[in-house]
Amino acid sequence: MAKGMAKGLGPGAPAPGLAARRAAVDVLGHVVHKHRPLDLELDPAGGHPGFRALEAKDRALVRAILGAALRRRSQIETILQSLLDRPVPEKTGRVMDILHVAAAQMLFLDIPDRAAVSLAVDLAAADKRARLYKGLVNGVLRRLGREKDALLALPVDGAAGLPLWLSTRWRDTYGAATFDAILAAQAQEPALDLSVKSDPEGWAERLGGRVVANRSVRLQRKGAVEEFDGFNDGGWWVQDAAAALPARLLGDVSGQRVIDLCAAPGGKTAQLAAAGAQVTALDISEKRLVRVRENLARLGLAADVIAADIRAHEPAEPYDAILLDAPCSATGTMRRHPDVAWTKRPADIATLAALQGELLGRAAGWLRPGGLLVYCTCSLEPEEGEAQIAAFLAASPGYALVPVQAEEIGGLAECITPEGYLRSLPCHFGGGTTPDGGLDGFFAARLRRL
């Protein structure tokens, strides 16, 4: 190795910012090609080692790059293909991932083109399979910089941040106008929502936010939430305003025996405990329940936490109320998790829908007569929502739908379907095209055992 050569980096000391771009390229590849969830890759304890080794400001940069690269992936792909004479062979290693990371910076982030191009070329040169293509990387990105405006106007096959199968599905389900509104909302980085144990107006004033949907506090602040006022005192927890709605549909649960099924990470468990319920939090993953216990301890709330599979568990006696937040495709959360579009595949929806039906049928037997069960998913797919409940009710004459009322969900009448289901969309609550608007996509239905 030549004098001054850093291992794996080529001659000379590594350029400032190179480690952050390398981490971004690695993580993008893991998400898109290996279908690894972005949250796992960016986990500060067990995520990508290159990301964990970065300083806080560089971690924030990686998050911003990946957010842009995933939210606009289809658009970036269209632009890059227009600049290439022929497809880049797979044997070139990470060339396309390098180009995507650089293009995201040049097109959608406030990063100088020169820096993005130079670091991309350095990354290609450091990769034994990609180094023969560093000239191509340089040429493509320089041309991208010169022709930016025209390239951004190119038509995209599908939608800017969605694979074609998902954009086609959503357009067919919601119609062209609502589909376009959903896309516009998902292009925005969302605000931070908190659920509070009490006094939402007071917390909004203390934290410089505003109250949304009656009880959630919406902030425009950025940074580590652990440093915000009230975190260590257990005054609140992070939870999208839409995710906080299903638990409210159980009404006054004070003193009631309530089970939160598929409970991790525990936001709904905390809501129910703060409302005075005797809560059991059940989840199949003992590892994920660690976080539930930690959150409850920080918040000073109590619940009986159980690791079990719903399909094998048998409660000692029926519950007064049940909340089933079923495993789902999570396609309603793409404002916060743009990787979902690229980690899920069409077959996943059918597989998950079958599991949801099984869990719903099992859980319904645990409810006392007269009790309420709320079924919910953070999915935009009808198979995981409306169709699931229609099938259950058709097969279960001992249960009836209890329609949702606008006053129960902070007046969000636009989120109530003609059938009486809760169906929030990313474009609801102000259209979602400003940082202070929008909601995660959620479905919820309330059932009563007769």
Side-chain angles (χ1 to χ4, degrees):
M1 182 176 290
K3 184 177 180 181
M5 182 182 294
K7 183 177 180 182
L9 292 175
L18 188 65
R21 272 66 172 194
R22 179 189 289 112
V25 168
D26 285 352
V27 171
L28 181 65
H30 292 172
V31 169
V32 173
H33 309 306
K34 299 180 180 180
H35 307 289
R36 286 266 300 172
L38 185 60
D39 281 352
L40 292 182
E41 289 291 310
L42 302 185
D43 182 78
H48 185 277
F51 175 78
R52 288 188 282 121
L54 297 173
E55 295 183 0
K57 64 181 180 62
D58 285 329
R59 289 187 188 185
L61 173 61
V62 171
R63 290 182 183 276
I65 291 172
L66 291 169
L70 290 165
R71 280 193 175 89
R72 299 286 187 170
R73 181 167 178 80
S74 295
Q75 185 175 14
I76 293 172
E77 183 72 18
T78 297
I79 289 170
L80 292 177
Q81 293 303 330
S82 76
L83 297 172
L84 292 165
D85 294 331
R86 60 183 65 87
V88 175
E90 291 186 10
K91 66 180 182 180
T92 60
R94 303 186 298 173
V95 168
M96 288 307 299
D97 294 334
I98 291 169
L99 287 172
H100 270 264
V101 163
Q105 297 170 72
M106 297 171 69
L107 295 171
F108 304 114
L109 298 179
D110 188 20
I111 293 172
D113 289 358
R114 181 183 302 176
V117 174
S118 175
L119 290 168
V121 172
D122 287 349
L123 283 173
D127 186 301
K128 65 181 180 180
R129 290 197 294 166
R131 64 179 51 139
L132 292 177
Y133 292 83
K134 67 179 183 179
L136 178 143
V137 169
N138 183 61
V140 165
L141 294 178
R142 287 186 180 278
R143 186 178 163 198
L144 185 152
R146 294 193 302 268
E147 302 176 17
K148 218 178 269 190
D149 292 342
L151 293 168
L152 284 169
L154 289 174
V156 179
D157 187 10
L162 298 177
L164 183 59
W165 72 268
L166 193 53
S167 62
T168 301
R169 163 183 273 272
W170 284 3
R171 188 181 284 107
D172 291 346
T173 299
Y174 294 104
T178 300
F179 172 69
D180 289 342
I182 290 172
L183 291 184
Q186 290 188 165
Q188 291 284 337
E189 185 176 355
L192 177 69
D193 290 347
L194 309 178
S195 287
V196 298
K197 287 163 67 175
S198 62
D199 190 17
E201 291 82 5
W203 278 110
E205 183 176 354
R206 286 173 66 178
L207 295 170
R210 70 172 180 130
V211 177
V212 297
N214 278 4
R215 301 185 198 177
S216 296
V217 175
R218 177 158 292 185
L219 308 179
Q220 294 303 317
R221 295 175 61 177
K222 305 295 182 185
V225 296
E226 295 84 357
E227 298 175 4
F228 291 3
D229 184 21
F231 178 86
N232 290 328
D233 297 333
W236 48 262
W237 59 97
V238 175
Q239 186 179 31
D240 186 83
L245 298 177
R248 297 190 204 172
L249 302 182
L250 292 174
D252 183 4
V253 294
S254 180
Q256 293 190 9
R257 294 181 66 254
V258 183
I259 187 165
D260 180 14
L261 298 174
C262 310
K268 296 176 181 64
T269 297
Q271 282 182 273
L272 296 168
Q278 301 172 34
V279 187
T280 297
L282 185 147
D283 197 277
I284 196 170
S285 171
E286 177 61 53
K287 183 177 180 181
R288 297 188 72 210
L289 284 173
V290 170
R291 184 177 174 189
V292 175
R293 293 186 179 94
E294 291 174 348
N295 285 338
L296 290 171
R298 178 179 66 83
L299 296 168
L301 297 172
D304 184 18
V305 181
I306 299 173
D309 187 332
I310 296 171
R311 295 167 294 185
H313 183 70
E314 193 65 55
E317 57 182 307
Y319 288 93
D320 299 315
I322 296 173
L323 179 59
L324 171 59
D325 187 358
C328 71
S329 62
T331 53
T333 68
M334 288 186 198
R335 296 186 316 139
R336 301 185 188 281
H337 305 286
D339 57 302
V340 168
W342 309 101
T343 56
K344 295 295 188 292
R345 287 157 284 190
D348 294 335
I349 294 170
T351 300
L352 287 163
L355 174 62
Q356 291 153 9
E358 188 177 0
L359 298 183
L360 177 56
R362 177 76 174 161
W366 300 355
L367 188 64
R368 67 164 175 80
L372 292 175
L373 182 153
V374 169
Y375 166 91
C376 64
T377 61
C378 54
S379 166
L380 296 184
E381 316 315 314
E383 297 94 323
E384 301 182 85
E386 293 88 346
Q388 197 67 249
I389 297 303
F392 174 80
L393 289 173
S396 308
Y399 295 81
L401 181 72
V402 182
V404 177
Q405 305 299 318
E407 58 268 23
E408 297 180 281
I409 57 171
L412 295 173
E414 64 181 335
C415 298
I416 301 176
T417 73
E419 300 88 348
Y421 301 137
L422 168 70
R423 167 60 81 187
S424 66
L425 299 175
C427 56
H428 284 159
F429 192 67
T433 55
T434 64
D436 201 33
L439 295 167
D440 278 358
F442 253 86
F443 172 87
R446 177 171 52 192
L447 308 172
R448 185 182 299 281
R449 187 167 190 177
L450 303 176

